[in-house]
Amino acid sequence: MDYIQSLYNKIWASLIRPPKRNYQEHDLGHNHFSINNNHYYRLDCQLRNAFKEWFIISIFHPCDEESNLKQSQMFLVYCHSHSGSRTEGIHLLENIHNDTTALITFDFWASGYSSGKYLTLGWFEAIDINAIC
C-alpha cells in the first residue's frame, strides 16, 4: 500500500508541481535581431495578474534596422506547454512574414521565472492571459 501511495504522490506532484524550466536570458536571443528580413526588438518585463502573482513576459516587436519600433497591427500570444517556458515560442518568428505582427511569449504562473508554486492546469493560467490582453 505504501508503494501505491508513493506512486500516486509522484504522479500528482509531476502534474501540478513539475520542475521549473531553467533558462538564461541569452536563450531568448539578442535584444535586436533579424529573421527572414524582418527586424525585431525584444522587450522583457514583469506583469502582475489578478492574484498579485508576477510573471515574466517578452514582446518581440517589429522594428527597423535602427531599432525604431513599427506600429503593430496584431499581437500573437504564445502559450507554452506544461512545464515549459517563454523560450518555446521564439521559433514562431520564422513563420511571421510581415512587419506588423508582434509576438508575445511569457512564463505562466508557476513556470519558468514567474512566481507561483503550483500549476492549476488552466484555471489560474487563464488569469495570466487576461493580464496580457
Side-chain angles (χ1 to χ4, degrees):
M1 188 64 160
D2 289 337
Y3 172 75
I4 293 173
Q5 183 66 40
S6 173
L7 183 61
Y8 172 79
N9 288 338
K10 288 179 184 178
I11 292 171
W12 175 82
S14 71
L15 285 174
I16 68 165
R17 195 169 183 200
K20 288 188 174 187
R21 178 174 291 176
N22 291 323
Y23 61 89
Q24 302 299 319
E25 185 175 339
H26 70 267
D27 294 329
L28 295 165
H30 296 287
N31 283 347
H32 181 241
F33 59 96
S34 298
I35 296 178
N36 297 334
N37 295 323
N38 290 327
H39 300 279
Y40 295 95
Y41 182 80
R42 189 187 87 237
L43 173 66
D44 300 326
C45 57
Q46 292 182 6
L47 292 179
R48 289 203 182 268
N49 64 23
F51 294 114
K52 305 298 183 211
E53 295 284 346
W54 56 267
F55 60 102
I56 307 295
I57 180 173
S58 291
I59 303 171
F60 297 89
H61 210 287
C63 65
D64 62 20
E65 293 178 9
E66 289 80 37
S67 295
N68 297 313
L69 299 182
K70 294 182 179 180
Q71 184 174 358
S72 292
Q73 302 296 320
M74 294 183 290
F75 288 86
L76 175 63
V77 179
Y78 178 80
C79 300
H80 65 73
S81 65
H82 183 272
S83 72
S85 74
R86 63 188 163 136
T87 60
E88 289 179 5
I90 297 170
H91 72 280
L92 293 175
L93 291 170
E94 296 173 2
N95 298 316
I96 297 175
H97 299 292
N98 63 55
D99 61 354
T100 61
T101 302
L103 173 67
I104 297 175
T105 64
F106 64 100
D107 291 336
F108 275 115
W109 160 314
S111 297
Y113 290 104
S114 293
S115 66
K117 191 171 180 179
Y118 298 102
L119 298 177
T120 62
L121 305 177
W123 187 259
F124 290 155
E125 289 79 6
I127 293 173
D128 291 345
I129 295 172
N130 286 337
I132 292 171
C133 298

